[in-house]
Amino acid sequence: MGIFFFYMFVASATPLFLWLEHHKIAVASIPGIFLMWILGSIYIISPSIWIEATFIVTFAVNVMLAHYAAIVLYGMPLFKQKRLLRNSKRLV
């Protein structure tokens, strides 16, 4: 559960990184983060297989969203830069 708890903090910070450039993705991730924290808290208080399964699903969705955010923020500018360099060599 420690890994889940650590990554819950990382996933909770994802909207902060996205706020300026991709406001819609940041706003879309907020309800999932609240749900993840609520289900995690309920599971800690009274463990149940259904709460755990629902928590893991919301956790996985938030992990995928955080990775998508990392690709959008850090990968896309790199891909665009490489594409521009490749296209400029073709013109010469």
Side-chain angles (χ1 to χ4, degrees), residues 3-61:
I3 298 294
F4 287 120
F5 191 69
F6 172 75
Y7 199 80
M8 285 169 63
F9 283 114
V10 174
S12 297
T14 301
L16 297 175
F17 298 123
L18 290 172
W19 194 257
L20 294 177
E21 292 92 4
H22 302 281
H23 188 72
K24 290 180 184 178
I25 299 172
V27 170
S29 67
I30 292 173
I33 291 170
F34 279 129
L35 184 63
M36 179 180 64
W37 277 100
I38 290 168
L39 290 172
S41 301
I42 291 171
Y43 179 72
I44 289 171
I45 293 170
S46 62
S48 161
I49 190 71
W50 299 109
I51 298 292
E52 182 180 12
T54 311
F55 167 70
I56 290 175
V57 167
T58 57
F59 177 81
V61 168

Side-chain angles (χ1 to χ4, degrees), residues 7 57-71:
Y7 199 80
V57 167
T58 57
F59 177 81
V61 168
N62 282 315
V63 167
M64 288 186 279
L65 187 62
H67 282 86
Y68 174 74
I71 290 169

